[in-house]
């Protein structure tokens, strides 16, 4: 049995296998062909943070596969009142076939997984957001940008940046990152990525200016400056991220045909300008839709491993 807590635990072949499965499932979905890959299965979904895309895509996804979702807000279950995670894991394992959790520390996912006898999927932690990066990569492949891919990530060294590091270092493409001082990516994640890159041939470059990072890139991406749980740091962060907005001037440094991706929610006038967002809305909303298809693929893939 496998869990899906981070891309770190998956090799290139497995990631590409899931992407290829996602493409097939997307084609079937577009033809309104809903194959009952998971008939009679139940997916428990624990949310300790807010969500629009993750919640809707998992709920719709498991239903399209013939299964049933259970939305479990931590505000409404005993976990939120202090029931240990390891007990929650053992109870849910007796009643459902798969669990998804959106939480704070990555160690909460690891703790749950340790006691779970059903596959666990990360729906985001402070450290990683692997489902998002699978959706991003599917969007990139659909445009043929997986060949000669050069991605520039501008902004906070957060869960999204860490997941880009894992994706690039596993698959072997070039990733440039530029973050403001004090908001750099986690050193351990970076060192892991450098190690994986030795095998895959990925080029991972930390840049000193956003313009240097974006120069010649064909995918430009960013994320909110204020992640969930950081609301009290808002004013300081807005000051510290000055000069990191992805606007038309910044996009001018990229390749002419470059696409812009954003995991959403997006905050116009902060990490991205309204002009750049709207100009690239086609790929951004494909990216959002692709959450549905990759997550269906992940659930089917994990279910097959059992
Ligand atoms: N991108 C993403 O995970 O969105 P939600 O927070 O709405 O789930
Ligand atoms: N970095 C953001 C991603 C939201 C999908 C957060 O953690 O809030």
């Amino acid at each position: 049995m496998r869990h899906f807590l981070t891309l770190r635990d998956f090799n290139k072949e497995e990631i590409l296998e899931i992407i290829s499965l996602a493409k097939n499932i997307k084609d079937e979905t577009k033809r309104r062909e809903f194959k009952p890959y998971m008939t009679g299965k139940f997916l428990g979904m624990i949310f300790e943070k807010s969500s629009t895309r993750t919640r809707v895509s998992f709920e719709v996804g498991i239903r399209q596969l013939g299964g049933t979702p259970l939305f479990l807000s931590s505000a409404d279950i005993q976990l939120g009142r202090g029931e240990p995670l390891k007990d929650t894991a053992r109870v849910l394992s007796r009643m459902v076939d798969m669990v998804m959790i959106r939480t704070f520390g990555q160690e909460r996912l690891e703790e749950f997984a340790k006691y779970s006898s059903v596959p666990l999927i990360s729906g985001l932690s402070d450290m990683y957001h692997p489902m998002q990066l699978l959706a991003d990569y599917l969007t990139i492949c659909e445009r043929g940008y997986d060949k000669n891919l050069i991605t520039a990530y501008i902004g906070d060294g957060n869960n999204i940046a860490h997941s880009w590091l894992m994706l690039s270092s596993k698959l072997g493409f070039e990733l440039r990152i530029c973050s403001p001082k004090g908001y750099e990516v986690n050193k351990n994640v970076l060192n892991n990525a450098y190690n994986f890159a030795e095998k895959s041939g990925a080029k991972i470059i930390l840049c000193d200016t956003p313009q240097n990072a974006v120069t010649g890139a064909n995918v430009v991406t960013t994320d909110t400056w204020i992640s969930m749980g950081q609301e009290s740091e808002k004013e300081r962060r807005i000051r510290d991220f000055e000069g990191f907005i992805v606007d038309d001037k910044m996009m001018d440094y990229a390749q002419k045909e470059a696409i812009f991706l954003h995991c959403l929610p997006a905050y116009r006038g902060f990490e991205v300008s309204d002009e750049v967002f709207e100009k690239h809305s086609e790929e951004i909303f494909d990216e959002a839709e692709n959450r549905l298809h990759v997550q269906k693929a992940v659930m089917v893939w994990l279910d097959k491993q059992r």
Side-chain angles (χ1 to χ4, degrees):
M1 184 187 75
R2 298 282 296 273
H3 299 295
F4 209 127
L5 310 187
T6 158
L7 290 164
R8 193 189 58 208
D9 301 337
F10 289 79
N11 62 35
K12 179 174 179 172
E13 290 65 37
E14 290 167 336
I15 295 170
L16 295 180
E17 191 188 331
I18 291 168
I19 293 292
S20 154
L21 183 58
K23 282 182 191 158
N24 287 340
I25 288 182
K26 181 169 182 175
D27 289 345
E28 289 167 9
T29 308
K30 292 287 177 192
R31 294 196 297 268
R32 308 300 289 170
E33 249 180 63
F34 301 111
K35 296 199 180 151
Y37 294 105
M38 290 181 71
T39 299
K41 304 270 169 99
F42 287 83
L43 173 73
M45 311 190 308
I46 299 178
F47 282 89
E48 297 191 312
K49 289 178 175 176
S50 311
S51 168
T52 299
R53 281 143 289 270
T54 305
R55 175 177 178 181
V56 175
S57 52
F58 269 109
E59 282 203 26
V60 171
I62 185 74
R63 283 196 192 279
Q64 290 181 343
L65 295 171
T68 306
L70 285 104
F71 173 69
L72 306 167
S73 158
S74 62
D76 300 328
I77 58 173
Q78 298 290 6
L79 181 68
R81 295 180 61 247
E83 182 168 15
L85 208 47
K86 59 184 180 183
D87 294 355
T88 309
R90 286 178 284 188
V91 171
L92 289 193
S93 292
R94 303 285 184 111
M95 298 181 183
V96 304
D97 304 280
M98 208 170 274
V99 177
M100 187 245 51
I101 306 185
R102 167 167 283 198
T103 187
F104 293 86
Q106 184 72 9
E107 68 284 353
R108 287 181 69 69
L109 285 163
E110 281 157 14
E111 165 89 354
F112 192 102
K114 194 169 146 196
Y115 288 92
S116 175
S117 54
V118 299
L120 176 65
I121 303 171
S122 167
L124 175 147
S125 73
D126 293 342
M127 197 54 103
Y128 295 113
H129 195 3
M131 295 303 115
Q132 183 64 53
L133 267 286
L134 291 177
D136 291 13
Y137 194 65
L138 177 57
T139 313
I140 287 168
C141 292
E142 287 172 336
R143 286 169 168 74
Y145 282 38
D146 49 321
K147 333 246 170 342
N148 309 316
L149 175 57
I150 303 176
T151 297
Y153 176 93
I154 305 304
D156 196 14
N158 62 11
N159 43 12
I160 297 290
H162 295 155
S163 295
W164 272 107
L165 278 169
M166 288 300 113
L167 189 77
S168 139
S169 64
K170 292 285 179 157
L171 298 189
F173 62 84
E174 180 165 339
L175 174 67
R176 292 99 168 264
I177 297 185
C178 184
S179 306
K181 219 170 158 334
Y183 298 92
E184 294 90 354
V185 292
N186 176 287
K187 285 250 156 48
N188 286 334
V189 176
L190 184 63
N191 286 333
N192 278 332
Y194 283 145
N195 285 337
F196 297 139
E198 276 177 28
K199 183 174 170 215
S200 69
K203 255 174 123 181
I204 292 168
I205 307 165
L206 300 186
C207 299
D208 51 355
T209 68
Q211 289 76 9
N212 278 349
V214 171
T215 300
N218 51 6
V219 174
V220 179
T221 187
T222 182
D223 185 20
T224 179
W225 295 342
I226 301 127
S227 283
M228 289 180 276
Q230 298 171 339
E231 290 74 9
S232 65
E233 300 170 24
K234 187 172 174 181
E235 278 179 28
R236 177 165 56 82
R237 284 178 165 264
I238 290 172
R239 265 199 318 274
D240 293 347
F241 280 76
E242 207 198 320
F244 279 75
I245 186 170
V246 179
D247 55 11
D248 282 327
K249 270 195 272 168
M250 188 81 83
M251 287 301 288
D252 279 346
Y253 287 90
Q255 289 181 29
K256 209 161 150 278
E257 305 303 323
I259 58 171
F260 172 77
L261 296 178
H262 194 307
C263 65
L264 306 179
Y267 299 91
R268 271 81 150 185
F270 295 95
E271 77 273 10
V272 61
S273 70
D274 190 48
E275 292 73 23
V276 167
F277 188 95
E278 294 304 333
K279 217 178 276 175
H280 293 277
S281 59
E282 195 61 33
E283 57 256 28
I284 294 169
F285 291 106
D286 276 355
E287 178 189 8
E289 179 191 326
N290 282 339
R291 292 290 305 277
L292 172 66
H293 308 300
V294 297
Q295 287 161 198
K296 285 168 77 178
V298 166
M299 289 190 278
V300 170
W301 192 89
L302 289 174
D303 195 45
K304 267 204 224 137
Q305 310 288 316
R306 295 193 68 193

